[in-house]
Amino acid sequence: MTSDISILREDGVVVVAPVGEMDAVTSPALADVLDGVLAADPPQGVVVDLAKVGFCDSRCIGVLVAAYRQARDMGLGLVVAEPQPQVNRLLVIAGIDQVIPITKSTGAAVDSLRA
């Protein structure tokens, strides 16, 4: 189980895009990337693009919630974009959609953070 994570800065909004499975082995790397993005030169907001994540477990959810809280405490927005159906289902079952905004497109997520 492996994951690659890309980081793209779009006009002050950072898009973090993991690829693969986000589980107990790979989620710490996502946590490190999100911590680094929020600590360095704080952006206007962060989009976590899950379009290429085929699996997400409770550890991944914990990482997303922790990053959301960290961003919120800094006065920044964090949005999850394009989760695959099975990942979206887990986010809904866990009630994450009631806490973290989830959009169907990364572009819409970026635009929502620029507004």
Side-chain angles (χ1 to χ4, degrees):
M1 292 183 222
T2 62
S3 176
D4 295 316
I5 302 170
S6 65
I7 303 168
L8 176 66
R9 192 172 284 265
E10 292 188 24
D11 298 327
V13 176
V14 174
V15 178
V16 175
V19 176
E21 297 183 351
M22 292 277 88
D23 55 24
V25 174
T26 56
S27 289
L30 178 60
D32 290 345
V33 167
L34 290 170
D35 284 344
V37 163
L38 291 169
D41 180 16
Q44 283 181 290
V46 177
V47 174
V48 181
D49 178 355
L50 297 181
K52 295 183 180 174
V53 172
F55 174 81
C56 174
D57 71 4
S58 61
R59 180 69 186 258
C60 175
I61 290 175
V63 167
L64 292 174
V65 169
Y68 174 78
R69 288 180 178 160
Q70 183 180 357
R72 180 198 62 202
D73 291 349
M74 296 172 70
L76 307 173
L78 185 140
V79 177
V80 170
E82 296 190 46
Q84 294 292 319
Q86 63 273 25
V87 172
N88 190 61
R89 183 171 185 263
L90 177 64
L91 296 174
V92 170
I93 288 170
I96 300 307
D97 62 323
Q98 301 299 310
V99 179
I100 302 173
I102 299 174
T103 65
K104 293 184 181 191
S105 92
T106 301
V110 170
D111 290 345
S112 74
L113 291 170
R114 285 192 198 139

